[in-house]
């Protein structure tokens, strides 16, 4: 076993905003003027006078927990409790901005090891305290909002001290990572050995290894490197009923694959304390480029053709006409006469020979399918700005523009139906002045994910405007027979729609597992399980 030093801690995210405060740029005046042409802009600052409810846990329990993990790692400080309140969806941010801290945990507990997690769970089970595992805090579907009804309080189980690379097996290409490692930290530790994971969600800067596994996350290079769940070889999980270790071999026929039960379990079945992932050599070459398509349908058909011919590059993403027009300062620059068409970003990573071979084959296929190559600049521009959008969301919320995203997935034959229904549901609910943008960035031989970005005037009560719009979109997704989520997970927000997807018996199976591993129901109550 190797025990590598943890990398330096990143700065905490502000409670009302995304990301590293040093990276926040604000809206340049020119952009604010442009936004003002479309939306009624007005300064909408966060309230500074939020008051946090007094902790419900007794001093005796705080002392009891200190006995488990040490005095320094049980924190009742208001500021940290505020930062551990909810995640980073737009409703989460709007609630924080309005000073609503009603979901604040009573205490933040920071275990340093698997054994300490086990001990905290035992204490919480014995004393009926809800436990909310907290990785990076980037949840966007209410996965960090527990319902403590019938329990004596809520404990945020902050995994931020468990941030080591525990083992690396270069022969098998596997690594064992602790759950609290953030994306950049995990990649930096692996890079010291010339290896990488290759998981780059837009939340990469802050989201954690445990969170990726617990939500079945999918990153921007999913076409080449796969979803996070496909990278997981093994798991170690602490549950109130005991420990479970999974992943004895690269593949097996030892009954149903129980890894799948804990991947995506969102803290409701246990705390993931170790994740064994498959790793790969760092790419020697990275090349990104743009392609233009006449329409979203033409570009999507081309993605399907690549996926079905085993010809996917490392990155492939296609914006619809609206997203293309918004994202490009000059839509005409991608060659449309009067119409911007649709921008596709294609990226290749690997050895020079592998990149050259894949690129030649993909270029021939895309050309044959009617795509127009735009050269490297659109690709480089995407690569430069790939983690910037969440910062822009804050700046837009600051000037009274409501911005949120949602995602789903379906089979190729249902793609257009799903796209049309969700767009219509959002536009109808939010009314005049609403923009609904869409892109495809995760594709499979059988289908794809659709990712929608919505921008609308925030009005006086943006939350009251957004919640019915989100419900309308979810109902449209259910009516279209699509997945309620492709990679954002279920949390509390999608829980009402899960049974429609997995059936009543499927929901009962989940409840039965929950009863077995968490008989007292302390783990993330209200999250995931219908
Ligand atoms: C701006 C932005 C962009 C995003 N982009 C993407 C994207 O491109 N792709 C994508 O897939 N997602 C994306 N997300 C969603 C989010 O980042 C992912 O769901 C991510 O995997 C969550 O990781 P986390 O460490 O932040 O988890 P947290 O937010 O801390 O927790 C998420 C859920 O998992 C549980 N959990 C966390 N750690 C553990 C653990 N060790 N054991 C058991 N349960 C645990 C929590 O209790 C909670 O229910 C985005 C979110 C934001 C805010």
């Amino acid at each position: 076993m190797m025990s590598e030093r943890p990398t330096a801690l990143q700065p905490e995210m502000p409670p009302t905003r995304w990301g590293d405060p040093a990276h926040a740029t604000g809206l340049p005046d020119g952009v604010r003027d442009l936004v003002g042409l479309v939306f009624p802009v007005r300064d909408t600052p966060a309230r500074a006078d939020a008051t946090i409810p007094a902790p419900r846990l007794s001093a005796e329990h705080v002392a009891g927990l200190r006995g488990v993990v040490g005095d320094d790692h049980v924190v009742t400080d208001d500021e940290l409790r505020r930062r551990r309140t909810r995640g980073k969806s737009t409703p989460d941010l709007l609630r924080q901005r309005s000073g609503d801290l009603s979901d604040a945990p009573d205490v933040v507990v920071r275990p340093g090891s698997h054994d300490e997690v086990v001990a905290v769970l035992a204490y919480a089970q014995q004393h009926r305290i809800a436990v909310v595992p907290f990785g990076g805090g980037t949840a966007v579907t209410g996965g960090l909002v527990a319902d403590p009804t019938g329990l004596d309080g809520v404990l945020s189980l902050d995994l931020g001290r468990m941030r080591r690379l525990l083992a690396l097996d270069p022969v098998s290409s596997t690594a064992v990572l602790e759950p609290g490692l953030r994306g950049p930290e995990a990649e930096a530790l692996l890079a010291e050995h010339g290896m990488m994971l290759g998981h780059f969600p837009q939340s990469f800067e802050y989201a954690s290894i445990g969170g990726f596994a617990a939500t079945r996350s999918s990153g921007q290079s999913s076409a080449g490197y796969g979803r996070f769940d496909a990278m997981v070889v093994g798991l170690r999980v602490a549950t109130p009923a005991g420990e479970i270790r999974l992943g004895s071999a690269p593949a097996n026929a030892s009954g149903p694959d129980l890894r799948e039960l804990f991947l995506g379990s969102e803290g409701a079945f246990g705390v993931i304390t170790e994740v064994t992932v498959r790793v790969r050599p760092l790419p020697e070459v990275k090349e990104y480029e743009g392609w233009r398509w006449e329409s979203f349908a033409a570009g999507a058909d081309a993605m399907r053709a690549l996926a079905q011919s085993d010809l996917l590059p490392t990155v492939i993403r296609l914006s619809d006409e609206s997203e293309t027009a918004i994202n490009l300062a000059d839509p005409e620059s991608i060659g449309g006469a009067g119409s911007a068409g649709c921008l596709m970003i294609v990226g290749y990573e690997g050895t020079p020979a592998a990149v050259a071979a894949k690129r030649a084959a993909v270029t021939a296929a895309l050309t044959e399918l009617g795509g127009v190559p735009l050269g490297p600049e659109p690709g480089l521009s995407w690569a430069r700005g790939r983690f910037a959008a969440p910062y822009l969301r804050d700046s837009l919320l600051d000037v009274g523009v409501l911005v949120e995203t949602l995602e789903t997935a379906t089979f190729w034959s249902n793609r257009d139906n799903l796209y049309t229904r969700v767009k219509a549901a959002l536009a109808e609910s939010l009314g005049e002045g609403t923009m609904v943008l869409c892109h495809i960035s995760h594709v499979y031989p059988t289908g794809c994910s659709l990712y929608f970005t919505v921008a609308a005037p925030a009005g006086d009560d943006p939350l009251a405007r957004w919640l019915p719009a989100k419900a309308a979109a979810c109902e449209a997704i259910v009516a279209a027979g699509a997945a309620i989520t492709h990679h954002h997970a279920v949390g509390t927000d999608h829980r009402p729609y899960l049974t429609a997807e997995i059936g009543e018996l499927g929901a009962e199976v989940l409840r039965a597992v929950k009863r077995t591993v968490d008989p007292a129901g302390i783990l993330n109550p209200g999250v995931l399980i219908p």
Side-chain angles (χ1 to χ4, degrees):
M1 288 285 265
M2 70 205 298
S3 182
E4 305 231 359
R5 61 178 170 72
T7 52
L9 260 181
Q10 286 162 286
E12 285 265 354
M13 288 195 269
T16 56
R17 305 180 83 81
W18 170 258
D20 182 343
H23 296 168
T25 50
L27 272 190
D29 283 348
V31 178
R32 188 186 161 115
D33 292 346
L34 273 178
V35 172
L37 296 176
V38 186
F39 299 108
V41 302
R42 60 183 170 144
D43 287 328
T44 314
R47 271 178 57 178
D49 58 344
T51 51
I52 193 159
R56 283 157 296 176
L57 274 192
S58 64
E60 186 194 343
H61 283 325
V62 172
L65 290 162
R66 289 196 164 129
V68 175
V69 293
D71 288 359
D72 290 348
H73 304 305
V74 176
V75 184
T76 52
D77 167 74
D78 284 353
E79 191 50 33
L80 191 63
R81 287 174 60 219
R82 186 174 178 192
R83 288 177 193 269
R84 296 293 172 268
T85 305
R86 312 189 188 99
K88 293 291 177 186
S89 68
T90 295
D92 292 338
L93 294 178
L94 289 171
R95 289 188 175 107
Q96 284 271 10
R97 291 168 76 104
S98 73
D100 172 2
L101 295 175
S102 53
D103 295 317
D106 299 300
V107 64
V108 179
V109 177
R110 301 191 294 209
S113 66
H114 170 88
D115 290 347
E116 286 191 0
V117 171
V118 170
V120 172
L121 291 184
Y123 188 94
Q125 176 166 247
Q126 187 187 351
H127 298 285
R128 303 192 52 75
I129 301 166
V131 175
V132 181
F134 184 99
T138 69
V140 280
T141 55
L144 295 168
V145 184
D147 174 2
T149 307
L151 299 171
D152 286 347
V154 178
L155 174 169
S156 173
L157 190 74
D158 183 339
L159 297 158
R161 284 177 63 219
M162 297 175 65
R163 293 165 48 240
R164 289 170 305 164
L165 167 62
L166 293 176
L168 182 70
D169 176 350
V171 176
S172 309
S173 288
T174 62
V176 184
L177 301 170
E178 283 194 312
L181 278 169
R182 307 279 168 97
E185 296 166 342
E187 292 294 2
L189 287 172
L190 292 170
E192 289 177 14
H193 304 272
M195 307 300 275
M196 73 161 192
L197 190 52
H199 183 65
F200 305 109
Q202 197 179 51
S203 52
F204 174 69
E205 286 172 278
Y206 279 86
S208 70
I209 293 297
F212 294 149
T215 59
R216 298 177 65 210
S217 166
S218 192
Q220 296 167 348
S221 307
S222 64
Y225 302 142
R227 303 163 55 92
F228 191 79
D229 47 17
M231 300 176 185
V232 174
V233 177
L235 293 171
R236 185 180 192 191
V237 187
T239 84
E243 173 187 352
I244 189 156
R245 271 182 189 268
L246 299 163
S248 54
N252 63 56
S254 320
D257 189 344
L258 292 181
R259 283 175 305 188
E260 294 291 345
L261 208 50
F262 290 93
L263 289 168
S265 62
E266 299 185 60
F269 289 168
V271 181
I272 298 167
T273 56
E274 288 177 18
V275 185
T276 306
V277 288
R278 69 107 188 83
V279 291
R280 58 179 71 235
L282 281 165
E284 292 165 47
V285 177
K286 292 184 184 179
E287 292 176 3
Y288 306 112
E289 62 192 26
W291 285 76
R292 177 187 183 276
W293 296 88
E294 243 351 277
S295 65
F296 191 47
D301 285 347
M303 292 173 116
R304 174 170 64 85
L306 292 185
Q308 292 177 343
S309 343
D310 255 344
L311 258 189
L312 285 175
T314 312
V315 174
I316 188 159
R317 46 194 301 124
L318 173 74
S319 296
D320 73 353
E321 288 83 353
S322 317
E323 189 175 279
T324 300
I326 293 290
N327 284 351
L328 295 178
D330 173 12
E332 299 302 312
S333 69
I334 72 161
S339 147
C342 290
L343 177 64
M344 178 187 278
I345 301 298
V346 180
Y348 306 91
E349 297 180 7
T351 61
V355 165
K358 180 62 82 68
R359 190 173 186 184
V362 171
T363 301
L366 293 182
T367 307
E368 170 80 25
L369 290 161
V372 178
L374 300 171
E377 187 39 45
L380 295 172
S381 163
W382 167 78
R384 276 193 302 270
R386 63 196 286 189
F387 303 120
Y391 294 95
L392 180 62
R393 172 179 60 166
D394 288 326
S395 304
L396 290 169
L397 291 174
D398 287 341
V399 296
V401 181
L402 171 64
V403 184
E404 179 58 309
T405 63
L406 58 91
E407 42 76 57
T408 171
T410 194
F411 295 106
W412 287 115
S413 54
N414 193 36
R415 187 205 77 232
D416 195 42
N417 174 44
L418 178 63
Y419 174 72
T420 309
R421 281 181 187 248
V422 175
K423 264 191 104 147
L426 288 165
E428 193 179 315
S429 175
L430 287 163
E432 209 180 321
T434 301
M435 282 185 190
V436 184
L437 324 176
C438 183
H439 69 246
I440 298 175
S441 53
H442 308 281
V443 295
Y444 307 89
T446 52
C448 65
S449 157
L450 294 181
Y451 185 98
F452 296 90
T453 302
V454 186
D460 292 334
D461 188 348
L463 199 54
R465 270 170 66 61
W466 174 249
L467 295 181
K470 168 78 178 181
C474 289
E475 279 154 24
I477 288 169
V478 171
I484 196 64
T485 170
H486 169 264
H487 57 268
H488 280 172
V490 175
T492 46
D493 298 356
H494 293 148
R495 191 171 77 130
Y497 307 95
L498 185 59
T499 304
E501 190 168 324
I502 63 172
E504 185 46 48
L505 184 57
E508 186 46 37
V509 170
L510 291 182
R511 286 183 213 116
V513 174
K514 173 88 173 162
R515 282 194 296 273
T516 304
V517 293
D518 180 21
I522 55 161
L523 279 173
N524 249 352
V527 170
L528 176 63
I529 315 294

